[in-house]
Amino acid sequence: MKLQQLRYLVEVAKQGLNVSEAAEKLHTSQPGISKQIRLLEDELGIQVFIRNGKRVVSVSEPGKEVLRISERILREAQNLKRVGDEFSRESEGALTIATTHTQARYALPATIAEFVRRYPKVKLSIKQGSPTQICEMVVSGEADLAVATEGIALYKELAMLPCYEWNRSVVVPQDHPLLSLDRPITLADIAAYPIVTYDFAFAGRSKINKSFADAGLEPNVVLTAIDTDVIKTYVALGLGIGIIATMAYEPQRDVTLRAIDAAHLFESSTTKIGLRKDAYLRGFAYSFIEIFAPHLSRHVVDSSLLTREEDNE
């Protein structure tokens, strides 16, 4: 049994049972992958994949368990490599952060700048996606950690570390009537106008909906987007008023817009870091986390991971 054979198994499953795509992803040949998988099946004495002719059509019941164990073995093999790297190349390596546009654009720049200053030899990558997509990147090993507001709690493989709380503001064009209110803005005030805000899966959108529902109001959401800058662009064009993360309003850049604090109207949201519970973190990964959220020291992170591992036993 070889690690290479396990990689072939896992990649075929990951590519929707398409052996050709798995071969392309792994820079090898389709016949080579098929041969090695059959050799492994012969050694195990079971059929991992069910075939119709030469085409893989499904995963057998014992094959599902083989895939689960194979994924764990490959993760542990990667952890072994990281242990060696930690002691032989303390300040070199790679760190991949999976996050949403709002976090990448508004919350992470200062952290990334400081991290690059401290670790110039570490290759830092940022992958963006929806909360579900970025969590799956961490689960699959494509990313080392996720930074998001939504989604992390849905994945049992991930430990969840709270970073900071944030709330929302309403953004409007400079001459909008809401700016002339002589009192705090209300949900009814907002509901009276077309609204541009986040897609449901993003940035605490569920809490926005809940606030309106609790007040017995139906917001007129005319456009949703995953990108805060897109929301602000359409607000500036007069399509509606925007509800965005307060941190995403920049007075010096958003000169055609004004922001109205709406923190009293919505429940606050918490940005969190998601980590695989069984991951071995390099020293610079701990450093990145602590730069972003100073209360998350290495001791706190390790304690949190240990607690969650014990909870799963």
Side-chain angles (χ1 to χ4, degrees), residues 114-127:
E114 176 61 19
F115 180 84
V116 171
R117 186 189 69 79
R118 293 189 193 181
Y119 299 95
K121 294 183 179 180
V122 173
K123 181 182 178 182
L124 184 63
S125 301
I126 299 177
K127 295 188 175 183

Side-chain angles (χ1 to χ4, degrees), residues 167 170 185-187 190 207 211 261-267:
N167 217 303
V170 174
I185 194 170
T186 67
L187 289 171
I190 298 171
K207 294 187 177 181
S211 293
D261 180 50
H264 59 291
L265 300 178
F266 305 106
E267 182 184 349

Side-chain angles (χ1 to χ4, degrees), residues 7-292:
R7 290 192 185 94
Y8 289 169
L9 277 182
V10 170
E11 192 62 37
V12 169
K14 186 177 176 182
Q15 297 302 324
L17 305 182
N18 189 312
V19 180
S20 296
E21 290 186 8
E24 183 177 347
K25 193 78 173 179
L26 294 171
H27 307 292
T28 187
S29 68
Q30 179 178 342
I33 286 184
S34 297
K35 177 182 177 180
Q36 289 301 320
I37 289 177
R38 287 190 181 278
L39 286 173
L40 180 60
E41 289 176 323
D42 290 344
E43 182 177 349
L44 295 175
I46 61 170
Q47 191 175 17
V48 176
F49 295 125
I50 297 173
R51 299 167 178 83
N52 183 2
K54 294 184 177 181
R55 189 166 62 91
V56 176
V57 293
S58 64
V59 181
S60 68
E61 283 304 313
K64 292 175 183 177
E65 184 64 13
V66 170
L67 281 169
R68 188 184 68 80
I69 294 172
S70 297
E71 289 170 351
R72 188 173 74 236
I73 290 172
L74 292 173
R75 286 196 300 270
E76 292 299 339
Q78 184 62 32
N79 284 341
L80 283 174
K81 184 177 185 303
R82 288 173 175 171
V83 171
D85 288 342
E86 181 67 10
F87 290 94
S88 63
R89 301 186 299 139
E90 292 183 20
S91 299
E92 299 179 25
L95 182 65
T96 301
I97 312 298
T99 190
T100 60
H101 170 269
T102 298
Q103 298 295 332
R105 171 68 177 80
Y106 299 102
L108 285 170
T111 296
I112 290 170
E114 176 61 19
F115 180 84
V116 171
R117 186 189 69 79
R118 293 189 193 181
Y119 299 95
K121 294 183 179 180
V122 173
K123 181 182 178 182
L124 184 63
S125 301
I126 299 177
K127 295 188 175 183
Q128 294 185 48
S130 69
T132 298
Q133 288 170 333
I134 66 178
C135 289
E136 290 177 351
M137 289 178 196
V138 178
V139 170
S140 68
E142 292 179 54
D144 298 296
L145 57 91
V147 180
T149 298
E150 308 281 354
I152 297 174
L154 302 176
Y155 291 82
K156 60 181 175 51
E157 302 94 337
L158 301 181
M160 186 170 64
L161 308 175
C163 298
Y164 67 90
E165 290 191 353
W166 57 271
N167 217 303
R168 296 150 192 84
S169 290
V170 174
V171 288
V172 298
Q174 298 181 78
D175 57 352
H176 199 277
L178 288 178
L179 294 171
S180 61
L181 293 175
D182 57 0
R183 55 173 172 74
I185 194 170
T186 67
L187 289 171
D189 294 327
I190 298 171
Y193 294 92
I195 296 170
V196 185
T197 192
Y198 299 107
D199 183 83
F200 188 81
F202 285 76
R205 170 67 189 280
S206 58
K207 294 187 177 181
I208 294 175
N209 288 10
K210 183 178 183 300
S211 293
F212 281 109
D214 289 347
L217 297 169
E218 183 70 32
N220 178 23
V221 178
V222 295
L223 177 68
T224 62
I226 64 175
D227 185 325
T228 307
D229 292 335
V230 170
I231 293 171
K232 290 189 290 187
T233 295
Y234 284 97
V235 171
L237 289 173
L239 190 65
I241 63 175
I243 303 177
I244 65 171
T246 297
M247 62 182 163
Y249 175 70
E250 300 175 305
Q252 293 181 337
R253 293 192 179 195
D254 301 322
V255 294
T256 63
L257 301 175
R258 295 290 182 270
I260 304 170
D261 180 50
H264 59 291
L265 300 178
F266 305 106
E267 182 184 349
S268 63
S269 294
T270 302
T271 290
K272 311 171 192 75
I273 285 176
L275 301 166
R276 278 204 66 96
K277 296 172 184 175
D278 58 359
Y280 177 85
L281 298 178
R282 299 285 304 276
F284 53 71
Y286 286 104
S287 183
F288 182 94
I289 293 170
E290 191 167 4
I291 295 170
F292 184 61

Side-chain angles (χ1 to χ4, degrees), residues 159-162 277 299-309:
M160 186 170 64
L161 308 175
K277 296 172 184 175
H299 173 72
V300 171
V301 173
D302 284 342
S303 297
S304 180
L305 292 175
L306 179 61
T307 298
R308 284 161 175 76
E309 286 178 357

